[in-house]
Amino acid sequence: MSVADEIRSKGRRMTVQRRLVLDALHRARHHTTAEEIARQIRARHPQIDPSTVYRNLEALEELGYVTHTHLDDRVTRWHRADVERHGHLVCRSCGSEQEIPLRTLEPLGRRLRTEQGFRADLAHSAIVGICRECAP
Amino acid sequence: MSVADEIRSKGRRMTVQRRLVLDALHRARHHTTAEEIARQIRARHPQIDPSTVYRNLEALEELGYVTHTHLDDRVTRWHRADVERHGHLVCRSCGSEQEIPLRTLEPLGRRLRTEQGFRADLAHSAIVGICRECAP
DNA sequence: TCCACTATTGCGAGAACTTGCGATAACCTG
DNA sequence: CAGGTTATCGCAAGTTCTCGCAATAGTGGA
Ligand SMILES: [Mn+2]
Ligand SMILES: [Mn+2]
Ligand SMILES: [Zn+2]
Ligand SMILES: [Zn+2]
């Protein structure tokens, strides 16, 4: 079953706008911003409103094709849901970003699960701190 | 040395606006939003611009009197720097917030420190997930 | 192939900040 | 306790994302 058929089977619709957002996420290697996706799409299709891009990212996330993470403070980063998940370390001094395997974060996940009954998504927000180069 | 003197000794100035922001943070028990602080101050001093509140929160953070955390996605929460730090668990289903002692997060902090040389600030961003009540 | 239903769109307005700028007022110095 | 320096302010405009609404266009069924 194609993605379009899957989407339709859930009572949603496959529009040209939705397809374009999905394509843009496929072309992007890593996490992109909604603004960047909107910029790319509007370069060829200026009539497509940015709000449509934001709404489609949300819809595609509900449908399970897309997720988002938060790297530095404000911006939301979007990416396909089928790429391997990983955590992020962000240096608040130099801004450098580093990926870490989820395995490193798992012990904390297990602890929160058993002690608090909380199922943590430890890849959702980057961990902020000071990187090796910036530490005195 | 008073806070005002400390601030002046760093080449900054103690204005009525800055004092009001500091007072508002002192009155607030926990994390507040910039908007809430601006609302309180403007109730008595309508001529004070919201942008002044935003700029003062930033300045007071640089000066070391204030810090911020991120609970759910969009809003930044501000609080005095001298209150005890703690982590947060936020449920993405029901939105509930729960505080957890930093002690729970410390093992991960040590691991990131030794394996990556990264000094993590694990209280800066809340951990997102599904709480006990919302889990099936 | 045509139709009715309604998910989705574009647009305008709004929320929540951010930024540039000229005016104001802290503050240090003497 | 003036006077000059400049940090800080208020204001206006810009940015990024959100939301309500009427028009449009995918869809499944006839
Ligand atoms: Mn932050
Ligand atoms: Mn998020
Ligand atoms: Zn760094
Ligand atoms: Zn919950």
Side-chain angles (χ1 to χ4, degrees), chain B residues 16-108:
Chain B
V16 295
Q17 294 87 343
R18 187 157 291 168
R19 166 104 285 148
L20 286 167
V21 170
L22 218 39
D23 288 351
L25 284 163
H26 248 270
R27 272 197 309 277
R29 287 241 166 271
H30 269 8
H31 13 68
T32 354
T33 64
E35 205 205 346
E36 168 64 14
I37 294 172
R39 205 189 51 69
Q40 280 180 30
I41 291 179
R42 283 166 62 81
R44 285 177 174 281
H45 309 269
Q47 77 283 8
I48 294 182
D49 198 78
S51 68
T52 299
V53 173
Y54 289 107
R55 283 194 273 227
N56 267 309
L57 285 168
E58 247 180 275
L60 289 168
E61 183 165 56
E62 278 172 29
L63 288 163
Y65 298 108
V66 167
T67 31
H68 72 265
T69 57
H70 303 281
L71 287 196
D72 57 4
D73 292 346
R74 200 103 214 92
V75 205
T76 300
R77 310 296 187 111
W78 298 88
H79 47 85
R80 289 157 49 201
D82 57 359
V83 299
E84 200 204 350
R85 314 214 65 193
H86 53 260
H88 293 94
L89 304 180
V90 175
C91 175
R92 67 156 50 108
S93 167
C94 69
S96 69
E97 300 165 3
Q98 186 187 345
E99 298 190 354
I100 53 170
L102 270 192
R103 178 172 31 76
T104 305
L105 305 173
E106 261 165 23
L108 175 60

Side-chain angles (χ1 to χ4, degrees), chain A residues 1-8 10 12-30 32-34 36-38 40-41 45 48 52-67 78-83:
Chain A
M1 191 154 71
S2 73
V3 171
D5 287 339
E6 281 178 24
I7 286 178
R8 277 190 281 266
K10 290 169 187 160
R12 315 296 297 262
R13 294 174 187 178
M14 178 55 86
T15 63
V16 295
Q17 293 87 342
R18 189 156 290 168
R19 165 106 285 148
L20 286 167
V21 170
L22 219 38
D23 289 350
L25 283 164
H26 248 269
R27 272 196 309 277
R29 286 237 167 275
H30 269 6
T32 354
T33 64
E36 169 64 15
I37 294 173
Q40 281 180 30
I41 291 179
H45 309 270
I48 294 182
T52 298
V53 173
Y54 289 106
R55 283 194 275 226
N56 268 309
L57 287 168
E58 246 180 276
L60 290 168
E61 184 167 55
E62 280 172 29
L63 288 163
Y65 298 108
V66 167
T67 31
W78 298 88
H79 47 86
R80 288 159 49 204
D82 57 0
V83 300

Side-chain angles (χ1 to χ4, degrees), chain A residues 71-72 77 89-98 129 131 134:
Chain A
L71 287 197
D72 58 3
R77 310 294 189 111
L89 304 180
V90 175
C91 176
R92 65 156 54 108
S93 168
C94 68
S96 69
E97 299 165 5
Q98 187 187 345
C131 78
C134 290

Side-chain angles (χ1 to χ4, degrees), chain A residues 68 70 124, chain B residues 73:
Chain A
H68 73 266
H70 305 280
H124 189 70
Chain B
D73 292 346

